[in-house]
Amino acid sequence: MWLLAMQLVYVIPSVFLYSLTICTVVVKWKSFKSSFFQLYVFDFSMNVFTLLNTFYVFRFANYTCDTCFLAQVFQNLDNYINSSFLYAVQYHMAYVQYGSTLINSLNRLSNAEIQKWRNYSILAMALIVILPIPCTIWIMSYGAWWEYEPPQSRYLLHSPLDQKSISIVLLPFMVISTVFSLGLNLVSMILVRRVSQQRKKLVETHFLKLIVITCAVQVLGTLLTIMLGVVFQTSLLFSLIVYSIPFISDCLTLCHPWLLVWLSKPIRDSLLSIIRPTPVASSILVLEARQNER
């Protein structure tokens, strides 16, 4: 239970800040209208959905005993939500998250094609969600069910499907997409170093930094996932990896708003103007935002 409490300590304020940045972007959309923020709003919806599914299927279920108030929910959940869907969607969202990082990395590299990204970013978002469906929909055909484990006093979502059958496609995708994301970000950083200071403002280097840090977290998550299948399950290292992966996963899901507020001054100013109105004229904020962001 202490582990769940620890996770909620950072999850709740992170979701609150995430929602606040989304409200800021929506309210001041004329200032922040760009392909980056279109993808940011998309990432918000996908990440929050992933977080809710993760907490429900894994975190809360792991700490629910047969007499707890949530026990009835897990016992009767199949009457409302297909458990096979919940089981399959956790893998589907892994494809979505890694695909989203790849698209964001490509967006930063080809930032010069601003108008094209604005026109086709919705198509890119749709493809991120739709393309993994053939890789995950077959998982539902194997079925899944909630089962209570008395020794651990918890509920688990079981499936007869072998994890290796899922990883045989998912893991290579994670590795390949991560390598491509790293490559795109590396090329972007090299190009940024060669341009003038004025040009650096136009290519929005602060957004590039955000994607680079996100990609670094993704690399760590990928390495730990690979190690999980290599390290002996009886070793101390295996236990450390098992405990670390949920935190890395949460970091990948929730780091965006913290990085955005840290790296983007126009976002900070706009956020403060909404939370705590200041004498600064809104026209000044709009002008500053247009100069620094698209």
Side-chain angles (χ1 to χ4, degrees):
M1 183 62 72
W2 64 269
L3 193 60
L4 178 62
M6 182 188 300
Q7 292 164 348
L8 289 174
V9 166
Y10 64 78
V11 165
I12 293 175
S14 295
V15 172
F16 176 76
L17 181 63
Y18 215 155
S19 303
L20 207 55
T21 57
I22 291 296
C23 291
T24 302
V25 170
V26 172
V27 170
K28 297 182 176 292
W29 184 247
K30 290 184 179 180
S31 301
F32 299 116
K33 186 179 181 180
S34 70
S35 58
F36 173 83
F37 283 109
Q38 287 175 331
L39 292 170
Y40 183 79
V41 173
F42 170 76
D43 285 339
F44 168 77
S45 60
M46 295 296 101
N47 286 334
V48 170
F49 177 78
T50 301
L51 187 71
L52 291 174
N53 184 69
T54 299
F55 261 80
Y56 192 78
V57 173
F58 293 109
R59 315 290 172 82
F60 291 140
N62 283 339
Y63 298 100
T64 300
C65 62
D66 59 342
T67 58
C68 295
F69 73 97
L70 283 178
Q72 292 295 322
V73 175
F74 290 107
Q75 291 170 6
N76 300 294
L77 188 62
D78 275 330
N79 297 329
Y80 306 98
I81 304 176
N82 191 305
S83 296
S84 300
F85 170 78
L86 293 177
Y87 188 80
V89 80
Q90 61 183 315
Y91 298 103
H92 184 87
M93 297 312 296
Y95 285 100
V96 170
Q97 280 192 316
Y98 277 71
S100 181
T101 302
L102 179 60
I103 292 297
N104 274 286
S105 300
L106 182 61
N107 174 265
R108 291 300 90 200
L109 178 62
S110 57
N111 189 49
E113 302 293 337
I114 302 168
Q115 193 58 46
K116 288 184 179 180
W117 271 107
R118 286 179 180 174
N119 293 338
Y120 298 108
S121 58
I122 294 178
L123 176 62
M125 298 174 205
L127 291 176
I128 291 172
V129 176
I130 295 172
L131 288 180
I133 290 178
C135 300
T136 54
I137 195 170
W138 61 274
I139 298 175
M140 295 180 61
S141 63
Y142 283 81
W145 63 91
W146 289 100
E147 187 174 294
Y148 182 70
E149 294 189 347
Q152 287 78 30
S153 297
R154 65 179 182 179
Y155 282 89
L156 283 181
L157 186 58
H158 285 282
S159 174
L161 184 62
D162 185 6
Q163 292 292 321
K164 292 183 179 180
S165 302
I166 301 174
S167 301
I168 199 170
V169 177
L170 177 58
L171 192 56
F173 174 80
M174 292 170 62
V175 173
I176 293 172
S177 62
T178 300
V179 170
F180 271 99
S181 296
L182 279 174
L184 291 171
N185 288 321
L186 180 61
V187 173
S188 296
M189 288 188 292
I190 293 173
L191 293 176
V192 166
R193 288 176 63 89
R194 294 180 178 178
V195 300
S196 63
Q197 191 65 31
Q198 183 178 3
R199 177 61 180 167
K200 285 183 179 181
K201 292 182 179 180
L202 293 177
V203 298
E204 304 168 324
T205 55
H206 46 300
F207 291 157
L208 175 59
K209 292 176 183 177
L210 186 153
I211 300 303
V212 169
I213 296 173
T214 302
C215 188
V217 176
Q218 183 174 295
V219 169
L220 181 57
T222 303
L223 291 175
L224 290 177
T225 303
I226 294 173
M227 291 176 63
L228 201 62
V230 177
V231 178
F232 290 109
Q233 295 186 7
T234 55
S235 65
L236 176 62
L237 181 58
F238 182 85
S239 299
L240 291 175
I241 294 173
V242 169
Y243 277 103
S244 299
I245 285 180
F247 291 99
I248 299 299
S249 177
D250 290 343
C251 183
L252 181 62
T253 302
L254 299 171
C255 68
H256 299 78
W258 298 102
L259 292 174
L260 183 64
V261 172
W262 172 43
L263 295 170
S264 177
K265 186 177 185 299
I267 281 289
R268 289 197 302 272
D269 292 340
S270 298
L271 196 62
L272 289 174
S273 71
I274 292 176
I275 299 175
R276 185 184 58 189
T278 63
V280 179
S282 59
S283 59
I284 297 177
L285 291 176
V286 171
L287 178 61
E288 185 181 13
R290 287 178 177 175
Q291 290 175 344
N292 290 278
E293 314 199 23
R294 291 187 179 90

